[in-house]
């Protein structure tokens, strides 16, 4: 049950962070405490990581059970990498935001359909990016008192083309949307039920708007960790389609889908010089996630795959390794194991042209997901090449240091 998960140590940590007045400070303090514990007892780290995986699976199973009771087996919708799903009002209302398609739907099974639907629309529009304000695994109400901006700010505009950032503007938008509400029938465990719902779209140029929302931290951390902004943005688009509340079963969290136990830990070590597996709430924070994602790309580029001489070839390897790890990348080039895998892998890569490296990765990476991941990120990255040029221009215009 959710109560059992909450009573476990990692569950208690999430509750403590969510209820804190300063979630960032609380999360940071808890990470510092964990660091000291892991230093004294390395096996505790392994136990904590396994517990975090189990707790994620239990939370997901509990959510499935609660949704199934209200909506029926065929109507189960869960939060994913590119789709935000949030249940409220005893699981009778839900918002589904498809960041890839730019489509938003708000639905309710509640008897007081119009009032519940309006409240759910308002809550969806004003949902903050702040991870402490939203629990996607329960039906708890979204905390709309957060100081952070709504996660849909700029992606949905009112009739006058203005952003929706206040309760009044959200209520006005919801009021005008309600007359378009429709009804559909679903089969639940308690028989047939009526669902009242509305659908609306993000702005026409939502793909560009999504990237613009995070452009400042992307440029900041890409420059800090010496990776290209287009690569960071290409990874974000591929991993989450700019959904800051993205989750997946690894478990991975946030914009750049970092796994706390692997890439997240490597990145935190690079960024903070501390051996810590970052918490879920830490990774759900967009700026934290972008920093650690850029840091992990830096680890792959300059530490783990730095022996790939050609920079284009190295980028192809880095993109693949972001998804599957450097060792699996080497498996595309050699059957050797242990240290010889990397020795022979690097030799083989450096004997090939970038086009041949790309094709080898496409054909011989051990997993189909990763074979498809490389061309997806590479294509998405091209959309943002112009941003790389602005970084170069900024550097050229910066005053030289004496």
């Amino acid at each position: 049950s959710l109560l059992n998960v909450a009573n476990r140590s990692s569950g208690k940590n999430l509750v403590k962070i969510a209820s804190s007045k300063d979630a960032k400070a609380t999360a940071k303090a808890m990470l510092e405490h964990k660091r000291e514990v892991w230093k004294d007892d390395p096996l505790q780290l392994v136990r904590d990581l396994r517990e975090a995986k189990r707790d994620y699976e239990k939370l997901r199973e509990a959510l499935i059970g609660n949704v199934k009771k209200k909506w029926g087996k065929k109507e189960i919708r869960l939060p994913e990498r590119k789709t935000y799903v949030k249940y409220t009002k005893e699981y009778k209302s839900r918002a589904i935001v498809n960041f890839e398609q730019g489509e938003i739907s708000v639905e309710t099974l509640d008897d007081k359909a119009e009032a519940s639907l309006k409240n759910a629309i308002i809550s969806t529009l004003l949902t903050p990016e702040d991870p402490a304000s939203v629990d996607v695994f329960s039906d708890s109400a979204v905390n709309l008192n957060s100081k952070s901006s709504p996660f849909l700010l700029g992606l949905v505009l009112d009739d006058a083309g203005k952003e929706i950032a206040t309760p009044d503007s959200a209520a006005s938008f919801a009021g005008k949307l309600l007359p378009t509400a429709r009804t559909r029938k679903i089969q639940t465990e308690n028989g047939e039920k009526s669902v009242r719902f509305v659908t609306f779209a993000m702005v026409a140029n939502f793909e560009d708007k999504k990237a613009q929302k995070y452009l400042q931290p992307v440029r900041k951390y890409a420059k800090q960790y010496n990776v290209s902004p287009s690569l960071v943005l290409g990874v974000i688009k591929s991993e989450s389609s700019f959904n800051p509340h993205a989750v997946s079963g690894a478990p991975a969290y946030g914009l750049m889908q970092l796994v706390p136990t692997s890439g997240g830990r490597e990145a935190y070590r690079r960024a903070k010089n501390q051996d810590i597996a970052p918490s879920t709430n830490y990774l759900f924070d967009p700026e934290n996630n972008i920093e650690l994602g850029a840091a992990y790309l830096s680890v792959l580029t300059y530490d783990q795959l730095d022996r790939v001489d050609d920079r284009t070839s190295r980028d192809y390897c880095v993109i693949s390794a972001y998804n599957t790890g450097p060792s699996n990348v080497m498996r595309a080039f050699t059957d050797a194991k242990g240290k010889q895998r990397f020795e022979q892998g690097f030799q083989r890569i450096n004997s090939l042209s970038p086009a041949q490296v790309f094709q080898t990765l496409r054909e011989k990476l051990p997993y189909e997901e990763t074979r498809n991941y490389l061309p997806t990120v590479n294509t998405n990255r091209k959309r943002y090449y112009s941003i790389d040029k602005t970084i170069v221009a900024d550097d050229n215009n910066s005053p030289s240091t004496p």
Side-chain angles (χ1 to χ4, degrees):
S1 72
L2 285 172
L3 182 60
N4 288 336
V5 174
N7 283 334
R8 295 167 69 94
S9 62
S10 60
K12 289 179 179 178
N13 289 344
L14 291 175
V15 172
K16 185 175 181 181
I17 293 170
S19 60
S20 170
K21 292 182 179 179
D22 189 341
K24 280 190 175 182
T26 303
K28 183 177 180 181
M30 292 171 66
L31 285 174
E32 291 291 343
H33 171 70
K34 280 293 185 184
R35 182 174 68 88
E36 295 302 319
V37 171
W38 293 337
K39 185 189 298 183
D40 295 337
D41 182 8
L43 288 179
Q44 183 60 43
L45 172 60
V46 177
R47 292 191 289 269
D48 283 348
L49 301 182
R50 288 175 178 170
E51 182 179 323
K53 173 69 172 176
R54 288 194 298 268
D55 284 353
Y56 170 83
E57 293 170 349
K58 286 181 179 293
L59 285 169
R60 190 174 184 276
E61 291 169 6
L63 178 60
I64 290 173
N66 286 321
V67 173
K68 184 181 176 182
K69 288 177 185 176
K70 297 293 184 182
W71 292 81
K73 185 176 181 180
K74 293 183 178 180
E75 283 286 330
I76 295 174
R77 302 287 185 272
L78 301 176
E80 299 173 356
R81 292 188 302 131
K82 300 180 180 181
T83 303
Y84 166 86
V85 180
K86 173 59 183 154
Y87 289 87
T88 53
K89 207 170 179 60
E90 297 178 338
Y91 296 95
K92 294 177 183 177
S93 297
R94 68 185 180 189
I96 303 173
V97 181
N98 187 321
F99 277 84
E100 193 165 33
Q101 301 298 324
E103 299 172 347
I104 302 165
S105 63
V106 182
E107 308 180 323
T108 187
L109 288 165
D110 196 42
D111 293 334
K112 299 178 180 178
E114 297 304 304
S116 292
L117 193 57
K118 183 175 183 179
N119 288 335
I121 295 169
I122 294 170
S123 178
T124 302
L125 292 170
L126 299 180
T127 293
E129 287 185 336
D130 176 17
S133 300
V134 186
D135 179 5
V136 295
F137 291 105
S138 79
D139 67 331
S140 61
V142 175
N143 177 13
L144 302 181
N145 295 320
S146 170
K147 294 181 180 179
S148 71
S149 300
F151 80 136
L152 292 177
L153 187 68
L155 297 178
V156 179
L157 303 179
D158 64 16
D159 290 345
K162 295 182 179 179
E163 294 180 340
I164 301 170
T166 66
D168 286 344
S169 60
S172 176
F173 183 91
K176 293 176 181 178
L177 189 62
L178 281 176
T180 70
R182 292 173 287 168
T183 302
R184 62 187 177 90
K185 302 291 186 179
I186 64 170
Q187 289 294 328
T188 73
E189 293 180 351
N190 297 315
E192 188 178 78
K193 297 284 185 181
S194 294
V195 178
R196 194 73 171 152
F197 69 99
V198 295
T199 60
F200 53 103
M202 293 181 186
V203 293
N205 61 337
F206 73 94
E207 286 289 358
D208 292 330
K209 286 289 186 181
K210 288 186 302 182
Q212 287 171 13
K213 282 172 66 71
Y214 303 108
L215 193 53
Q216 183 176 350
V218 165
R219 293 181 65 177
K220 173 183 176 182
Y221 293 116
K223 186 173 182 179
Q224 180 174 330
Y225 294 103
N226 198 25
V227 296
S228 67
S230 67
L231 179 56
V232 177
L233 289 165
V235 168
I236 293 175
K237 179 169 170 54
S238 304
E239 291 285 356
S240 68
S241 199
F242 297 91
N243 172 16
H245 298 288
V247 296
S248 62
Y253 303 100
L255 291 168
M256 298 187 73
Q257 284 294 278
L258 288 160
V259 179
T261 60
S262 53
R265 184 181 176 192
E266 292 277 359
Y268 201 91
R269 187 185 294 125
R270 165 59 62 85
K272 310 298 181 182
N273 198 30
Q274 296 176 359
D275 189 11
I276 287 177
S279 70
T280 301
N281 270 43
Y282 189 91
L283 291 177
F284 270 136
D285 180 275
E287 181 145 348
N288 290 343
N289 197 282
I290 291 169
E291 178 181 13
L292 293 193
Y296 186 47
L297 289 170
S298 178
V299 169
L300 293 171
T301 302
Y302 301 110
D303 293 354
Q304 298 179 353
L305 295 167
D306 58 316
R307 290 173 61 189
V308 177
D309 296 332
D310 183 90
R311 188 54 190 263
T312 300
S313 294
R314 194 190 307 179
D315 277 357
Y316 293 152
C317 293
V318 166
I319 291 169
S320 300
Y322 192 93
N323 179 264
T324 194
S327 183
N328 281 331
V329 169
M330 294 300 137
R331 287 174 62 188
F333 299 95
T334 177
D335 293 328
K337 297 181 180 180
K339 292 182 179 180
Q340 284 302 308
R341 174 179 292 175
F342 282 87
E343 289 296 328
Q344 294 184 20
F346 284 127
Q347 289 178 13
R348 177 62 177 157
I349 292 169
N350 288 330
S351 72
L352 301 174
S353 69
Q356 291 172 321
V357 170
F358 184 93
Q359 194 59 32
T360 302
L361 290 167
R362 282 285 287 122
E363 295 175 354
K364 296 188 177 181
L365 279 166
Y367 305 108
E368 182 179 1
E369 176 189 329
T370 309
R371 291 196 292 272
N372 294 331
Y373 185 80
L374 172 59
T376 298
V377 175
N378 200 49
T379 297
N380 288 336
R381 180 184 184 180
K382 293 176 182 176
R383 186 184 189 97
Y384 310 110
Y385 275 159
S386 61
I387 297 171
D388 291 346
K389 296 176 182 177
T390 65
I391 294 290
V392 174
D394 286 348
D395 288 344
N396 290 340
N397 292 330
S398 298
S400 59
T401 53

